[in-house]
């Protein structure tokens, strides 16, 4: 059982940090350069920036590299997990814009799991996880995500508590 939980925790490190880093290090030029999709809406929106995208990948990869002392596959898999996390978050933002949802508006389940699902898909070839480990990550992520967002809101780092 320890292997299942350990695998989930090792995956959580780079994915959560990659998802949170843009809040701290983001800002600047929007990733979509304020371009519109064919439906006339922003592709990702102003909250998704080049600096945040790069910061997420770097920060999550650094965590993965640190975790490689415990699990050597994470030296490279941490990069894949981090890239998947920021791409998953972008896909969530893309769909929110298609639904005409403004950046920062609550989209339950998608907001809490898009980055995890992206990380799972992209990292699978380098860091495949068993079903129980995936289930642990999927079950613990929404309350952790909501709790950390509330903390960021109380610290004045976010405008919304979700």
């Amino acid at each position: 059982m320890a292997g299942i939980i350990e695998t989930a925790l090792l995956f959580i490190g780079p994915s959560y940090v990659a998802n949170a880093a843009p809040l701290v290090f983001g800002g600047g030029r929007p990733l979509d350069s304020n371009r519109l999709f064919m439906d006339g809406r922003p592709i990702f929106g102003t909250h998704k920036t080049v600096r945040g995208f790069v910061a997420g990948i770097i920060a999550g990869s650094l965590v993965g590299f640190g975790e490689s002392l415990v699990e050597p596959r994470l030296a490279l898999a941490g990069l894949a997990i981090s890239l998947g996390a920021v791409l998953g978050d972008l896909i969530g933002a893309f769909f929110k814009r298609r639904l005409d949802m403004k950046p920062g508006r609550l989209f339950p389940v998608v907001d809490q799991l898009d980055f995890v699902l992206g990380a799972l898909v992209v990292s699978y070839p380098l860091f495949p996880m068993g079903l129980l480990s995936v289930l642990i990550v999927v079950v613990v992520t929404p309350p952790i995500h909501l709790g950390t967002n509330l903390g960021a809101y109380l610290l004045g780092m976010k405008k919304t508590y979700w």
Side-chain angles (χ1 to χ4, degrees), residues 64-84:
F65 188 73
E67 289 181 349
S68 72
L69 297 172
V70 175
E71 171 52 72
R73 294 179 298 161
L74 284 163
L76 185 56
L79 171 64
I81 293 168
S82 303
L83 176 62

Side-chain angles (χ1 to χ4, degrees), residues 42 53 66 81 86 105 154:
F53 183 83
I81 293 168
V86 296
R105 183 165 166 221
L154 294 173

Side-chain angles (χ1 to χ4, degrees), residues 19-102:
N19 188 56
L23 179 64
V24 178
F25 301 109
R29 185 168 57 91
L31 195 59
D32 62 10
S33 298
N34 292 315
R35 284 182 288 209
L36 303 178
F37 194 61
M38 64 179 106
D39 61 4
R41 297 182 179 110
I43 297 171
F44 302 120
T46 57
H47 285 60
K48 304 302 174 193
T49 65
V50 172
R51 190 168 54 208
F53 183 83
V54 172
I57 294 170
I58 291 171
S61 295
L62 288 172
V63 170
F65 188 73
E67 289 181 349
S68 72
L69 297 172
V70 175
E71 171 52 72
R73 294 179 298 161
L74 284 163
L76 185 56
L79 171 64
I81 293 168
S82 303
L83 176 62
V86 296
L87 289 174
D89 186 57
L90 282 179
I91 290 169
F94 177 81
F95 283 112
K96 284 174 81 169
R97 299 304 87 77
R98 305 296 62 79
L99 296 170
D100 205 23
M101 297 174 79
K102 302 293 180 211

